[in-house]
């Protein structure tokens, strides 16, 4: 797990998940998806080389949500990384 992030209920923030240490030199990410616990919204997922950027919004104050990011490579490797987002008032 990549740790815990904090954001406010009205925020729409992006988080980068770096897959560089897992990828071989000649492999690249071709697709990525992200899912979140019920109540948190995944607004967009983008691939920038070895990094997957996930845009997140929503949630309820005081709750924690798990975001799971799955990357697929041109060589058909699949890697999943997770992190937690805790929603706060301020």
């Amino acid at each position: 797990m990549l740790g815990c992030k904090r954001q406010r209920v009205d925020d729409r923030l992006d988080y980068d998940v770096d897959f560089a240490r897992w990828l071989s030199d000649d492999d690249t990410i071709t697709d990525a998806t992200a899912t979140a616990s019920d109540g948190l919204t995944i607004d967009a997922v983008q691939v920038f080389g070895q990094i997957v950027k996930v845009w997140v919004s929503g949630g309820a104050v005081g709750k924690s949500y798990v975001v799971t990011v799955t990357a697929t490579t041109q060589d058909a490797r699949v890697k999943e990384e997770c992190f937690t987002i805790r929603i706060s008032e301020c």
Side-chain angles (χ1 to χ4, degrees), residues 10 26-27 35 40 47 55 57 60 62-63 65 67 71 78 86 90:
D10 293 329
D26 59 344
D27 201 3
T35 59
L40 194 70
V47 176
W55 289 86
S57 63
K63 300 246 182 192
Y65 301 90
V67 176
V78 177
R86 177 130 177 104
C90 63

Side-chain angles (χ1 to χ4, degrees), residues 13-34:
L13 299 176
D14 58 302
Y15 299 94
D16 290 345
V17 180
D18 189 351
F19 288 90
R21 64 184 172 94
W22 169 74
L23 287 169
S24 63
D25 291 337
D26 59 344
D27 201 3
T28 59
I29 297 173
T30 56
D31 188 41
T33 60

